[in-house]
Amino acid sequence: MILAFDTYYFDNKAKTVCLEFNNWNEDKNFKIHSEIIDNVSEYIPGEFYRRELPCIISLLNQIDLENIEAIVVDGFVYLDDEKKYGLGGHLYEKLNKQIPIIGVAKTNFASIEKNKKPLFRGDSIKPLFITSIGIDLQDAFQKIESMAGEFRMPTLLKELDRLTKEL
């Protein structure tokens, strides 16, 4: 089983959605988990994880984690080449390093060069940026590359983004 998470912030609240699916190339068969939390922490530049990690953990507590192959997050695993943790790295630690984390970011983070891989999908000239922990970066890259959809964003990640913003 694979889990993909995204969170949308509004009115001092956070809506976190998780799509649960079985195959990387899935485009239709998925289960939706969702939760809205009040009184979310403010965004602190460079410490995004402090805001989003509690939302993901809260929703993860409602999901059986026994057979999880990997978790995909919207963001970076590392923030620099010294492997300073971003959201994905902190999530990996919270899960006792038991579940691989793949970060898929839509915008580049200049402080990291070595431990990220740009992924060009479809006809897009803008890449997605893939980072990973607990799984080889090339393997993580290939898994995201294999996801269904002919555009920059894989179909399920685009659907995840849509569901997250749907209030």
Side-chain angles (χ1 to χ4, degrees), residues 89-109:
H90 286 285
L91 178 58
Y92 186 66
E93 287 290 329
K94 276 280 193 197
L95 297 173
N96 299 314
K97 303 179 182 179
Q98 298 296 308
I99 301 173
I101 309 294
I102 301 172
V104 178
K106 295 182 265 313
T107 55
N108 196 6
F109 196 77

Side-chain angles (χ1 to χ4, degrees), residues 118-128 141 144-155 158:
L119 170 60
F120 292 89
R121 288 178 46 97
D123 294 331
S124 180
I125 57 170
K126 287 183 67 178
L128 297 172
F141 177 90
I144 302 301
E145 185 178 45
S146 74
M147 290 183 80
E150 56 189 77
F151 301 108
R152 179 179 183 233
M153 285 299 289
T155 301
K158 189 173 182 96

Side-chain angles (χ1 to χ4, degrees), residues 9-70:
Y9 301 93
F10 64 100
D11 302 332
N12 202 29
K13 298 178 184 179
K15 179 182 180 185
T16 302
V17 176
C18 170
L19 294 189
E20 176 185 317
F21 51 102
N22 291 315
N23 301 303
W24 287 99
N25 61 353
E26 190 66 65
D27 66 350
K28 290 186 180 75
N29 297 320
F30 55 87
K31 183 176 180 182
I32 302 168
H33 304 273
S34 180
E35 179 178 59
I36 295 177
I37 296 176
D38 291 315
N39 302 315
V40 192
S41 299
E42 287 296 313
Y43 170 71
I44 300 168
E47 296 187 3
F48 169 68
Y49 75 93
R50 291 188 187 274
R51 186 177 204 201
E52 191 142 331
L53 188 59
C55 302
I56 292 174
I57 294 297
S58 179
L59 191 52
L60 269 174
N61 287 334
Q62 302 170 36
I63 300 170
D64 179 6
L65 301 181
E66 188 152 332
N67 295 307
I68 305 299
E69 177 183 341

